[in-house]
Amino acid sequence: MPLKIDNIDCYYGSIKVLESIDLLADSGDFIGVIGPNGSGKSTLLRSVSRILRPKVGTVLLNHTDIYALSSKEIAKRLAVVSQDNVINFAFTALEIVLMGRTPHQGRFEFEGERDMSIARKAMELTNTWYLSERPITELSGGEKQRVIIARALAQEPRILLLDEPTTHLDINHQIEIMDIIKRLTRTEGLIAISVFHDLNLASRYCDILALLDHGKVVSIGPPETVLTAENIKKVYHTGVLVKRHPVTNSLYIIPLPDEKPAAASQRMAIHLICGGGSGAQLMHCLTEHGYQVTAGVINVLDADHEAARYLNIPTISEAPFSPITQEAHQANIELIDQADIVILTNIPFGHGNLKNMEAASIASKGKPLVLIEDGPIEQRDFTDGDAEKCYIDLKNNGAIVVRNLGEVLSIIEKQGEKIWS
């Protein structure tokens, strides 16, 4: 069941948001749509899913214009996992997944044994069957997302559209979900088209990447032809190092600092508690400004660890995908003791890295602690509430909350004035 996006233009009112987009997907393809914010990634999915009709061009599903098909026929063939899935009623997780069977039922028809079997299989695939009787309103952000993906799989679609499907998932569930989708493309011939912000994740799993910028396709093809330093510099306006991972053999991207002279007058020591790629940009910025930067505890192979190594930042490391040991935790505390300011980035917390939250708590008792908050902590807490409780305590005890890099730099400058005055 091929999907062909044939030279489409899309508009929001009088504003053109997609221009001359061509894309062909066949059975078994896993296609990643990448690009900076505002490049048209989510808009492209909206067009394919019949939310936003192109003014020019067509979207063909098995050689038929999707707008010539009924909504029910589309729902049997195509499922969507969007970014925001707000469910305010206390349906159980199983009831949510069974909603995916609606296109296959007649009016007023109840679920049968086959519907239950398909729903259970979808939940087992996404490791959510144990949540089947739990109200969806009581689940964590990551658990909800896996249930929503299970609902999409219960539709038995031939095409799965995903808008940043791993946004609210910790790393093990990111890998788990992406492995499931990749396996379905290979074994079931499913077509998967997913929007990614994480270029490394896209490179690892996708057969084809479409790089968008200002509503146009800049490059399309296998990851090695799309993820070049030149393309990324052109679109994201930042220098990167593109390397091949020694274990997965997939490409991975390391952002590089701008080649500007460091401000030699800055002598403050700043310690970053980060991970999962949340600290790489900040590392580059702080070293560029001439600050003395340390970091920890970060797992080896983490994007932040790679960035720290490239920038020669002293870092307390832990083995890949391993929980933080007491030895690493104590070494992290020693680096914190030497810092003038400690910054906790918006990292997801699981039981394996909860000691980093403990380290932040220790830091807050003796020096300024800055929290970078990009969304509610409960969406990043996979510790049954332990991390959230500690985080709230940090805020109540005077931690400085900021939203972006500019605010971070402003706070550092103010603290520097206090230190050197």
Side-chain angles (χ1 to χ4, degrees):
M1 184 179 291
L3 174 72
K4 184 178 182 181
I5 301 171
D6 188 11
N7 196 38
I8 65 169
D9 292 355
C10 290
Y11 289 75
Y12 287 135
S14 61
I15 301 173
K16 183 185 289 188
V17 288
L18 290 177
E19 181 177 350
S20 303
I21 303 294
D22 285 303
L23 182 65
L24 179 63
D26 214 334
S27 295
D29 285 342
F30 194 163
I31 299 176
V33 183
I34 57 176
N37 291 336
S39 61
K41 302 184 300 294
S42 297
T43 302
L44 179 58
L45 293 196
R46 288 168 63 86
S47 179
V48 175
S49 59
R50 300 206 325 170
I51 296 174
L52 180 64
R53 186 167 190 161
K55 285 193 175 181
V56 176
T58 55
V59 179
L60 302 173
L61 181 57
N62 202 22
H63 311 293
T64 302
D65 189 332
I66 61 170
Y67 288 91
L69 299 170
S70 68
S71 297
K72 189 169 186 176
E73 284 301 313
I74 286 290
K76 288 180 180 179
R77 306 178 194 186
L78 185 149
V80 180
V81 177
S82 59
Q83 267 185 349
D84 301 309
N85 295 280
V86 179
I87 302 174
N88 295 320
F89 296 98
F91 295 109
T92 66
L94 177 57
E95 288 171 334
I96 294 294
V97 175
L98 281 170
M99 291 176 188
R101 299 302 302 156
T102 302
H104 300 273
Q105 298 168 349
R107 184 176 296 182
F108 307 121
E109 181 180 351
F110 291 100
E111 300 88 358
E113 290 185 10
R114 184 171 183 273
D115 298 312
M116 288 295 297
S117 175
I118 291 169
R120 176 164 185 159
K121 180 182 177 182
M123 296 187 78
E124 289 174 344
L125 278 172
T126 53
N127 191 27
T128 54
W129 178 246
Y130 74 98
L131 300 169
S132 60
E133 298 304 317
R134 291 269 304 277
I136 192 75
T137 51
E138 295 180 6
L139 303 186
S140 70
E143 290 169 338
K144 286 180 184 177
Q145 185 73 340
R146 286 186 287 139
V147 169
I148 296 302
I149 293 173
R151 180 180 67 183
L153 295 179
Q155 288 178 231
E156 295 185 294
R158 303 312 305 152
I159 299 171
L160 184 61
L161 304 180
L162 307 108
D163 195 352
E164 298 183 59
T166 61
T167 297
H168 302 307
L169 304 183
D170 56 5
I171 189 167
N172 63 312
H173 287 135
Q174 286 183 28
I175 299 301
E176 183 180 24
I177 289 298
M178 298 311 297
D179 282 345
I180 290 167
I181 296 167
K182 185 68 174 179
R183 184 169 68 249
L184 289 171
T185 62
R186 288 176 173 173
T187 62
E188 306 294 331
L190 180 74
I191 295 173
I193 302 177
S194 178
V195 167
F196 288 93
H197 267 301
D198 189 329
L199 300 183
N200 292 323
L201 202 62
S203 171
R204 176 171 175 177
Y205 285 98
C206 295
D207 310 302
I208 301 169
L209 293 178
L211 176 60
L212 271 59
D213 189 30
H214 293 98
K216 298 179 181 180
V217 175
V218 174
S219 180
I220 188 168
E224 56 267 23
T225 66
V226 175
L227 293 178
T228 65
E230 294 76 16
N231 281 341
I232 294 172
K233 179 71 172 179
K234 178 181 178 181
V235 171
Y236 291 92
H237 308 293
T238 188
V240 298
L241 189 64
V242 181
K243 300 179 71 176
R244 194 167 288 279
H245 197 283
V247 177
T248 65
N249 199 40
S250 60
L251 299 179
Y252 68 98
I253 314 300
I254 303 174
L256 301 178
D258 291 339
E259 296 180 359
K260 297 179 180 178
S265 61
Q266 303 288 357
R267 298 302 179 199
M268 290 180 63
I270 301 172
H271 184 77
L272 303 183
I273 301 174
C274 54
S278 63
Q281 184 181 10
L282 185 56
M283 291 177 189
H284 299 152
C285 182
L286 294 178
T287 54
E288 178 188 7
H289 281 73
Y291 295 111
Q292 301 173 33
V293 182
T294 58
V297 177
I298 308 173
N299 292 94
V300 174
L301 298 184
D302 188 295
D304 283 348
H305 188 273
E306 294 291 332
R309 186 176 66 171
Y310 178 84
L311 295 167
N312 294 318
I313 291 174
T315 303
I316 305 303
S317 304
E318 191 54 85
F321 306 107
S322 298
I324 296 173
T325 60
Q326 184 59 34
E327 291 78 9
H329 174 60
Q330 187 56 45
N332 198 29
I333 298 302
E334 292 174 5
L335 281 187
I336 287 173
D337 288 340
Q338 300 170 27
D340 296 306
I341 296 178
V342 177
I343 300 175
L344 175 63
T345 64
N346 57 317
I347 56 178
F349 280 99
H351 292 290
N353 70 339
L354 194 55
K355 284 186 181 296
N356 274 344
M357 183 69 84
E358 182 182 335
S361 180
I362 292 171
S364 70
K365 296 173 183 177
K367 53 197 64 194
L369 174 67
V370 178
L371 308 178
I372 300 178
E373 190 171 274
D374 183 16
I377 178 61
E378 55 266 26
Q379 293 182 356
R380 300 183 278 115
D381 179 12
F382 304 93
T383 64
D384 299 321
D386 291 343
E388 182 180 358
K389 181 179 182 300
C390 293
Y391 190 82
I392 292 172
D393 286 344
L394 292 177
K395 294 173 73 171
N396 290 339
N397 291 330
I400 305 166
V401 179
V402 299
R403 306 293 179 184
N404 54 53
L405 187 56
E407 292 181 6
V408 173
L409 293 175
S410 176
I411 291 297
I412 292 173
E413 290 175 4
K414 290 177 182 178
Q415 292 297 326
E417 291 172 0
K418 292 180 182 179
I419 291 172
W420 302 116
S421 60

